[in-house]
Amino acid sequence: MKINWTNAIVAGILGTILFDISGFLMTGTWWDIPGLIGQKLGYGLLGGLPVHYGNGIALSVIYAALRPSLFGPEWFRAFAYTTAQTVLIVWFFMLPLLGAGIAGWDLNKALPIITLVRHYAYMVPLALMLNPQSQFSTLFGKPSNPQPC
């Protein structure tokens, strides 16, 4: 199956927007992650934003490529991918690298839940737009398998 690049890119952007909105609703801080990325890179918020949204797009494209080989119903594929990505990359790599401990436990005891909820918000456009059976799969671009007339 071919990747619908337009849907993958748009799903990544929309997912990252939902990630940011859910983060704001839970923490009261807008663009905390791009701010942190920009601070670590030495470029400030304007440097962190493209990295943050680029990461959201990259994770969406990776999901689009892996989705056909994942098992279970469509919603579960997106759920399993997002959970694995959050636990393996965020909890066991990124947060310890930032000095927050595994799953951010040393920084805030609620951080494991906050990171999961934010990533599940990110997952929604992936589950809807990258599922070939979804009515949203043809929202942007051409259908992946058009039926002959």
Side-chain angles (χ1 to χ4, degrees):
M1 181 175 142
K2 289 185 173 184
I3 294 174
N4 183 326
W5 288 92
T6 303
N7 278 17
I9 291 168
V10 171
I13 292 168
L14 292 176
T16 306
I17 290 169
L18 290 177
F19 176 93
D20 289 335
I21 291 170
S22 65
F24 176 73
L25 293 174
M26 288 187 291
T27 67
T29 305
W30 186 250
W31 279 343
D32 55 343
I33 301 300
L36 181 62
I37 293 169
Q39 177 187 3
K40 293 294 181 184
L41 295 175
Y43 294 110
L45 180 62
L46 291 179
L49 276 171
V51 174
H52 177 57
Y53 278 81
N55 182 61
I57 292 168
L59 289 172
S60 179
V61 169
I62 292 168
Y63 173 71
L66 291 176
R67 190 202 61 72
S69 64
L70 299 175
F71 63 91
E74 288 294 336
W75 68 268
F76 183 78
R77 294 173 192 215
F79 178 81
Y81 171 78
T82 303
T83 303
Q85 178 268 327
T86 303
V87 171
L88 296 175
I89 296 172
V90 176
W91 286 8
F92 290 127
F93 178 71
M94 187 189 81
L95 290 170
L97 187 67
L98 295 172
I102 293 175
W105 191 257
D106 295 345
L107 185 63
N108 184 330
K109 302 301 185 219
L111 203 52
I113 301 301
I114 291 169
T115 56
L116 269 176
V117 170
R118 289 179 83 164
H119 284 89
Y120 290 151
Y122 167 84
M123 170 194 78
V124 172
L126 273 63
L128 293 176
M129 294 181 68
L130 301 177
N131 171 359
Q133 286 81 38
S134 169
Q135 63 182 352
F136 296 101
S137 69
T138 58
L139 188 59
F140 298 97
K142 297 177 185 173
S144 55
N145 292 322
Q147 297 296 323
C149 296

